[in-house]
Amino acid sequence: MVDALAVLNRQPERLFETTHVVQRAQVPTPADLLASIPNGYFEGDWSPFASHTVARRMHDEHGYALIGVGASTLAFQRTAAASPDPTALIADVQHLYGAADSPAWDEVRDTVTDSPILVLGYAEDFVELAD
């Protein structure tokens, strides 16, 4: 799972498809968009509440604003309020996915240090996007 996070953060273009469906909803904060998305279909998927909680935490604690929701992933963009040290961000994300001793976390840390984009998977099958 951590390997998939490393791949998707290093190559977020893997998530782009030729057809895009856009739904607009006027909300007070970007994270509130998650309330309009039905998900949590499968036992391993995050519920809309869990996705919203993660999005709020990424924003409030780490300075990442939600910029997109895919069929299995959430995309965030680092804002000016983001900490220049990704250590706390990686520690939080490790709580979501476990495997704190995986060497792939070093790649995720390096990628988010150099890129303003953060990709997180919320569906149990998001790892297939990295294949």
Side-chain angles (χ1 to χ4, degrees):
M1 190 171 295
V2 182
D3 292 325
L5 281 175
V7 169
L8 295 176
N9 278 282
R10 186 178 65 248
Q11 300 173 335
E13 65 275 5
R14 287 175 170 259
L15 302 173
F16 298 141
E17 296 186 14
T18 56
T19 302
H20 301 280
V21 177
V22 177
Q23 176 184 354
R24 291 183 48 129
Q26 188 120 10
V27 293
T29 69
D32 292 340
L33 285 169
L34 294 166
S36 67
I37 298 172
N39 215 312
Y41 299 118
F42 302 104
E43 186 177 328
D45 292 357
W46 297 351
S47 67
F49 176 76
S51 294
H52 181 266
T53 301
V54 169
R56 292 294 302 216
R57 182 153 182 97
M58 291 299 110
H59 180 268
D60 296 348
E61 297 296 322
H62 304 293
Y64 280 80
L66 181 71
I67 59 168
V69 179
S72 337
T73 57
L74 304 175
F76 299 87
Q77 184 170 9
R78 185 172 48 226
T79 67
S83 168
D85 179 13
T87 303
L89 170 69
I90 295 302
D92 257 5
V93 177
Q94 284 175 334
H95 284 293
L96 295 172
Y97 299 102
D101 59 344
S102 171
W105 285 117
D106 293 333
E107 185 177 347
V108 175
R109 181 181 294 106
D110 292 345
T111 302
V112 299
T113 298
D114 296 336
S115 171
I117 302 299
L118 170 67
V119 176
L120 299 178
Y122 68 84
E124 66 182 343
D125 64 350
F126 87 91
V127 297
E128 295 173 12
L129 298 169
D131 292 337

